[in-house]
Amino acid sequence: MKLSALRVALRIARRDALKAKGRSALVIAMVALPVLGVTGADIVHQSGSLTPAERVERLMGGADALVSAHRPGRSVEQAPFAEDGVLVLPEARTDPASAPAAAGAASSAEQLGGLLPAASVLLPATSGPEVSASTREGLFTTSTAEADLTDPVWSGRLDLVEGRAPAARNEAAVTRAFLDEAGLKLGDSTTVKGLEQTPFLLTGVVEHPGELKKVELVARPGQVISPLAAAAAAAPDAPGGPVAGGRDEAVRTESWLVRLPAGAGLDWTAVQKLNRYGFTVTSRAVALDPPPTSAVPYNVNKWVSPESDNRTVILVTVIGMALLEVTLLAGPAFAVGARRSRRQLALVGAAGGHRGHVRAIVLGGGLVLGLAGAALGVALGTGLVAALRPWLEGAGGSRFGHFAIAPLDLLAIAAVGVLTALAAAVLPAVQAARRDVVAGLTGRDTVATPSRLLPVLGLLLVGAGAAVALYGAGTYQSGTMPVVGGLNKRALSVLAGAATAEVGILFFTPMLIALFGRFAGRLPLGPRLALRDSARHRGRTAPAVAAVMAAVAGAVAVGVYSTGTEAQERASYRPTAPLGAVVLDAPAAPGSPETVRLRRAVEQALPNLGARADVQDVTYVFCDNCSSTVQAKGTGARAEFGGARSRVLSGDTTVLHSLFGVRDRAAEEALAAGRAVVFDPAYLNGGRATLTMQGAAGGPVQPGQVPGTEKIEVPVEAVLVENPDAARYGAVLMGPEAVRRAGLTARPNGSVWRPDVAPDRKAQQRAEAAVAQLAPHAQLAVERGYQSKDDMNTLALGGFAVVVVLGAAAVATGLAAADSRNDRATLAAVGAPPRMNRIQAGLQCTLIAGIGAVLGTVSGFVPALGLLRSHTAGQLGAPAVPFAAPWGLLVLITVVLPVVAGLGAAAFSRGRLPLARRAG
C-alpha cells in the first residue's frame, strides 16, 4: 500500500473516531486503564529501587561503613552490600599477617578496632530487644534502639522528622507508629517494663526511611540495651521479666557505624580481610565503586531460593494473561465500529478500493485510538503517582529514593498499549475486508461457512500450550540466567503455554457458535431467532465470547491455584490439641508457685473450662544437665520419627480425656496398672511399644565419666486403643508408674482444658494478658483448627470477571439489537408480541455469557495447573499441591452470571420498535 493511501486511511479512521465519540471513549479507556496501571507500577518500582548512593545513606547515614559481627570465630563471604547475601564458610580463614592485631581481644568491638585503620571511631548500631512499654491503655510490644540523634552521622539512617532530639538520659524519640499504637503524643512519658524506675519523656518523632511502619523507641546510648540485659541477667526466669517475646541478647548481632580517619578507606581487599574474622562490611567506597563480579567469591556460591523464582513465574503469568485479556476485551468495541461503518467501508470498495484499503482503515482506527489511549494512560499514571506519592510511601512502608521516570520504560509501555489496540482491531479488520460490497451497501451480511481447519488448529494449540506450561512449571534450576527482559526459561514457558492454550480455545469459538445455530430449528420462535442471529453474525459474537473467556480464564486460574494451595496447607496443618481445647504452654516444676498462679489466672479469665489435664514430656536423664527426648519407634508407612506423631507423653486419665479425646475403659485401666497406651498400631509390636532415646547406656553417668551417645531402645507393655485423631497429638501415653518402671523422667510441659464451648477471641485475649503479666515466657492458645486466609486476589479477579462478563455480553447484545433492528421491526409488523424482542435479546446475552464462561473455565485450568506445579518446583520433599476447584466461583461464573446477564438484557431491551423502510 502506498504512503498516500495509508494517510487517507488514517484520516478516515481519525474522522470516524471523532464522529463516534462514545465508542472511541470506550476503546481509549480500555487501552488507557492497563497502560495507566503499568505506568504507575513502573514509576513506583523505579522510584523505590534505590541507587547505590541512596542505599548507602539508608544503611549507614553519614558513616563510612556499617560493620556487623555476623559469625565471630568463622569466616564469611558476602556481596558488596552485605544485606544482599552472606555465606558462612565451614572453616575460619584468618589472615596470619592480621592475627596479632586481633589477638587477645576481649570483645568483637575490640577485635574490630584492631583490624580497622588507627583512629577509627565505632558507633554502636545494634538493635535492642523487643520490650513491653506503657501506653495510654496498658502495655504493648515495641522494638528498641539507641542513637545519639544530635550526631549528624545518623541522618539518612534514622531521621528526626518532628520535635527535638533526646538530650537527657531519661528522654527518648519514637516512631510515628509507636505514637499511633500507644495513643501517646510528644511530651508524654512511657515506661519500659524492667526499667520502671526510669520513665522516658518523648521528645521527638523519628523514622526509618525504609521502614516507615516500624514501632520503635530510640533512647540515648547506654540507656536501654545494657540496663535491660542487666535486669534480665539478675532475674532470668522471674515472672514478669522485662523481655516480652523479644530476641535473646546472646543471639542478637552486634553492629557498628564506622567513621574512618581522614584519608583512610575500606576497599574490597579490606572488606575481605574483615570477612575472614566473621565480620560483614558494607563500605561506602565499595558500594559506590563495586569490584568486578569475578572478584566476589559470594557470587559463585550463592543460591537462588525456589520460592522467589515461583513468585516470578506466577507474577509473569498473571501479567501476560492480563495483556491478552485487554486485547480480547477491546475486540468487541472495534467490531462495533466496523459493523456500524460497513456502509462507508463498502463505499470504499465500490469506489475502487481493494481489501487492503478496508483493512487499513479499520487498523488505522486501532492505531489512532491506541495512540490516544496509550498517551492518556502514561500521562495519568505519571500524574497520579506524583500526586499520591506520600500515600504510596506510607502504604508501602518505605520512602522513595527519588521520583524516577524511565523514558524507555514508558515508551515501551505505550508501545504495548498501541500494539494491544492494533491486535484487537485485526479480527474486525479482516472480517470487514471480506464483507461483500453489495451486502454492505444494502445493510445485509453474508453468512460465512465456519472453517474446518480452525478447530483442528485450536486443538493442537491447546495441547501444545498445556504441555509447554506444565513442562516449564516443573523445571527448576538455581541461578537460571534470564532470557528476555530478565525472565528465565521457566517463567517464559508458563506464560507462553498459558497464552497459547487460551488462543487455541479461542479458535473453537466460531465452530461452537455455528453448532449452536444448527439446533435452533427445534426451539420455539424466540430462542430460534436468537441462536440463528448469533450464528449468522459470528463476527460480532465471537469477539464478545472471547472477551468473556479471557476474563473468566484469569479468575479461574488464580481461583484454582489459591484453592489448591489452601488445600495443601489445610492437609499439612498439625493441630496441637483437639478442636476448642485451651492449651497453656508453661514448662516449670509441677507444684511451683508460678505454675499454680498461671493455672489459676487462666481458670479465672476463662470460666467453665472443665477438668485440667497436666501434660508431661517423657525424657531420659543420664547425667546432670544431660537428657534426651524419648520417641516411639514405629513400623509401616504411617510411622514417623521425630515428629508430633511419635511423641511420648505422660499423664493421668484427664490427659487421656482432654488432650487425646479418648474415653475408653481399657485405656484407663492400663494407665492405672502401669502400662502404656498406644493410639496407632504402627507403634505396637507384640503387645509392647518400643521407646528410643539417645544417651549413655547402663544407667546414670558417674562423676568424671564422659557421657555416651548410644541409641537406646526400651520396650514397655502397652495397650492399643486405635484412634487416628488421638494419634495426631502423640504416639504413646504413659502413667507416672510406667515412666518410673522404665527408668525415665517426666518433665512438665503445660496444661490442657477441654471446655464444651471454645472461648471467643476477646476472652482469649484477656486470658493471654493475664498470663503475660505473670510469666512472659508462657504461652496460651486456643486450638481453632486451620484458619483459611482471605484471598483478595481471587476475590478481585472474581469481581473483575463479573464486570467483564456482564459488560461484554451487554455490548454484544446491544450490537445485535442494532444490527437486527429491521428484522425485529418486521416481526412487530406481522404481529409478534413485544416480549419477543426481549426474549431474543435475553437469550442472545445468555448464550454469549454462557459460552464464554464455559470456555474461560476450561482455558483457565491450563495456567492453573502450571502455577500449581510451579508452587513446589525446586523444593525437595515438598508435597504436591492438590487440584481443588473453587466450586463456588465456578458456579457463580458459569451458571449464575449468564442467567443474570440474560435477565438484565431482557429487562432493559425495548419491546416495541417503530417501523422503518428497508433498503433494497
Side-chain angles (χ1 to χ4, degrees):
M1 181 183 296
K2 296 182 179 179
L3 184 60
S4 58
L6 182 60
R7 286 199 299 265
V8 172
L10 291 177
R11 188 182 304 119
I12 295 175
R14 180 178 60 84
R15 288 177 178 176
D16 284 345
L18 294 175
K19 183 184 302 182
K21 294 183 175 61
R23 177 178 58 85
S24 300
L26 176 65
V27 176
I28 290 174
M30 285 182 177
V31 175
L33 284 177
V35 171
L36 183 153
V38 177
T39 298
D42 180 77
I43 293 177
V44 170
H45 172 71
Q46 295 291 345
S47 301
S49 300
L50 305 180
T51 64
E54 291 167 346
R55 289 187 68 184
V56 165
E57 184 179 11
R58 289 196 181 181
L59 282 173
M60 63 190 70
D64 297 303
L66 173 65
V67 183
S68 298
H70 185 79
R71 191 63 63 88
R74 299 283 291 275
S75 295
V76 298
E77 291 177 350
Q78 66 163 78
F81 278 93
E83 63 174 6
D84 289 342
V86 178
L87 178 66
V88 180
L89 302 179
E91 72 281 345
R93 300 177 181 176
T94 55
D95 185 2
S98 303
S107 64
S108 297
E110 294 182 4
Q111 185 183 34
L112 177 60
L115 297 171
L116 290 172
S120 297
V121 178
L122 301 182
L123 301 174
T126 304
S127 298
E130 291 185 347
V131 300
S132 295
S134 63
T135 67
R136 189 174 298 278
E137 301 295 335
L139 296 175
F140 83 130
T141 302
T142 178
S143 300
T144 57
E146 294 180 348
D148 182 5
L149 297 177
T150 61
D151 191 337
V153 74
W154 292 94
S155 179
R157 175 182 171 93
L158 188 61
D159 295 330
L160 182 68
V161 296
E162 185 179 345
R164 62 175 179 83
R169 58 183 300 272
N170 64 334
E171 293 180 344
V174 293
T175 60
R176 176 60 60 184
F178 182 102
L179 294 178
D180 293 340
E181 291 194 21
L184 301 176
K185 62 182 184 300
L186 294 185
D188 292 341
S189 295
T190 185
T191 301
V192 173
K193 193 173 183 180
L195 303 177
E196 289 83 355
Q197 303 302 321
T198 310
F200 289 97
L201 176 66
L202 306 182
T203 64
V205 177
V206 295
E207 72 173 23
H208 295 267
E211 296 178 280
L212 299 180
K213 298 180 181 180
K214 188 171 186 178
V215 179
E216 188 175 61
L217 179 143
V218 182
R220 289 188 59 80
Q223 301 305 312
V224 171
I225 299 178
S226 297
L228 284 175
D237 298 322
V243 179
R247 294 158 294 177
D248 185 78
E249 185 76 23
V251 300
R252 198 163 51 250
T253 302
E254 291 185 280
S255 300
W256 301 268
L257 295 179
V258 178
R259 185 183 288 148
L260 298 174
L266 284 177
D267 57 12
W268 183 240
T269 302
V271 169
Q272 290 182 305
K273 183 181 74 171
L274 291 169
N275 288 163
R276 298 188 189 101
Y277 291 87
F279 294 101
T280 59
V281 185
T282 300
S283 169
R284 183 181 296 272
V286 172
L288 299 181
D289 185 17
T293 303
S294 58
V296 182
Y298 171 79
N299 290 334
V300 179
N301 301 316
K302 69 178 179 181
W303 178 74
V304 179
S305 169
E307 287 80 1
S308 176
D309 193 54
N310 291 341
R311 287 192 295 269
T312 301
V313 172
I314 295 170
L315 181 63
V316 169
T317 303
V318 171
I319 292 176
M321 295 292 288
L323 291 176
L324 178 61
E325 202 166 286
V326 170
T327 302
L328 295 177
L329 285 174
F334 286 108
V336 171
R339 291 187 59 79
R340 289 187 175 179
S341 303
R342 56 187 173 184
R343 180 173 177 81
Q344 175 180 290
L345 296 176
L347 288 174
V348 172
H354 53 75
R355 292 184 175 181
H357 294 134
V358 176
R359 285 194 297 267
I361 293 173
V362 179
L363 289 175
L367 179 61
V368 170
L369 297 179
L371 287 172
L376 180 64
V378 170
L380 288 179
T382 305
L384 281 176
V385 173
L388 299 177
R389 176 175 178 176
W391 182 85
L392 291 171
E393 291 176 339
S398 179
R399 298 291 181 199
F400 290 171
H402 58 289
F403 190 79
I405 296 179
L408 293 180
D409 287 5
L410 298 187
L411 285 175
I413 294 170
V416 170
V418 174
L419 291 176
T420 299
L422 283 174
V426 168
L427 182 59
V430 173
Q431 292 172 341
R434 290 179 178 178
R435 187 174 294 121
D436 183 74
V437 174
V438 176
L441 291 174
T442 58
R444 297 186 180 92
D445 279 328
T446 56
V447 180
T449 303
S451 172
R452 296 183 178 181
L453 180 62
L454 206 58
V456 176
L457 178 61
L459 183 63
L460 295 176
L461 288 177
V462 170
V468 170
L470 294 177
Y471 171 77
T475 59
Y476 174 76
Q477 287 183 332
S478 177
T480 303
M481 296 300 292
V483 178
V484 177
L487 305 178
N488 57 26
K489 292 182 180 179
R490 183 169 171 233
L492 292 175
S493 298
V494 176
L495 173 61
T500 302
E502 187 162 330
V503 172
I505 292 180
L506 175 62
F507 287 171
F508 284 107
T509 305
M511 182 195 69
L512 288 177
I513 295 173
L515 185 63
F516 273 101
R518 294 185 178 182
F519 295 96
R522 304 177 183 178
L523 299 177
L525 179 60
R528 181 167 67 249
L529 292 175
L531 285 179
R532 284 180 174 174
D533 186 74
S534 297
R536 183 168 63 249
H537 300 289
R538 290 186 295 275
R540 68 163 184 256
T541 307
V545 171
V548 174
M549 183 194 74
V552 171
V556 170
V558 176
V560 171
Y561 174 77
S562 300
T563 306
T565 53
E566 182 175 342
Q568 181 195 40
E569 294 172 356
R570 186 184 297 275
S572 60
Y573 176 75
R574 293 292 180 263
T576 58
L579 189 65
V582 178
V583 181
L584 174 65
D585 185 5
S592 67
E594 178 187 345
T595 302
V596 173
R597 289 196 300 269
L598 285 173
R599 292 169 178 169
R600 185 183 299 119
V602 173
E603 292 171 345
Q604 289 177 351
L606 302 174
N608 303 321
L609 288 178
R612 186 188 74 243
D614 297 330
V615 185
Q616 297 175 312
D617 288 324
V618 178
T619 60
Y620 174 52
V621 180
F622 50 91
C623 71
D624 292 339
N625 298 321
C626 301
S627 64
S628 66
T629 302
V630 178
Q631 299 281 336
K633 181 181 179 181
T635 58
R638 292 185 301 174
E640 68 175 34
F641 184 80
R645 296 180 66 94
S646 64
R647 292 173 61 194
V648 179
L649 301 176
S650 176
D652 53 17
T653 55
T654 57
V655 176
L656 185 69
H657 298 161
S658 298
L659 178 60
F660 292 94
V662 173
R663 294 185 179 272
D664 185 273
R665 185 173 180 179
E668 295 172 359
E669 292 177 351
L671 288 177
R675 295 194 297 273
V677 178
V678 177
F679 305 100
D680 189 337
Y683 295 97
L684 188 68
N685 185 12
R688 291 177 177 270
T690 302
L691 309 182
T692 64
M693 61 211 77
Q694 204 82 12
V701 178
Q702 301 300 321
Q705 183 180 354
V706 179
T709 57
E710 297 87 353
K711 182 179 180 181
I712 305 170
E713 295 186 355
V714 177
V716 296
E717 295 183 7
V719 173
L720 176 64
V721 180
E722 188 169 358
N723 189 316
D725 292 334
R728 294 183 298 180
Y729 315 122
V732 179
L733 176 63
M734 304 174 66
E737 180 62 21
V739 174
R740 187 188 61 81
R741 289 180 184 177
L744 303 175
T745 303
R747 290 185 173 177
N749 178 275
S751 300
V752 178
W753 293 266
R754 189 87 177 272
D756 295 332
V757 179
D760 58 30
R761 296 192 181 276
K762 290 185 178 180
Q764 179 183 350
Q765 291 175 3
R766 291 194 297 268
E768 289 176 346
V771 169
Q773 289 180 357
L774 294 174
H777 61 274
Q779 294 182 350
L780 181 74
V782 177
E783 179 56 57
R784 303 186 185 276
Y786 175 78
Q787 302 295 310
S788 60
K789 302 173 182 177
D790 295 332
D791 192 351
M792 295 304 297
N793 293 331
T794 303
L795 182 63
L797 282 176
F800 177 70
V802 169
V803 173
V804 172
V805 169
L806 297 178
V811 168
T813 304
L815 176 60
D819 283 348
S820 60
R821 181 182 180 88
N822 292 332
D823 295 338
R824 291 191 297 149
T826 302
L827 285 174
V830 298
R835 68 173 181 272
M836 185 63 63
N837 289 328
R838 294 192 177 95
I839 292 175
Q840 183 177 352
L843 290 176
Q844 282 182 329
C845 189
T846 303
L847 178 68
I848 292 170
I851 295 178
V854 172
L855 292 179
T857 300
V858 175
S859 63
F861 285 141
V862 174
L865 292 174
L867 295 178
L868 289 176
R869 192 173 181 188
S870 72
H871 185 73
T872 54
Q875 303 179 34
L876 297 178
V881 181
F883 180 82
W887 294 112
L889 179 65
L890 296 182
V891 171
L892 172 67
I893 290 177
T894 59
V895 178
V896 177
L897 278 183
V899 174
V900 171
L903 293 176
F908 290 100
S909 295
R910 296 178 60 183
R912 298 183 182 274
L913 292 174
L915 295 179
R917 183 177 64 86
R918 299 186 61 177

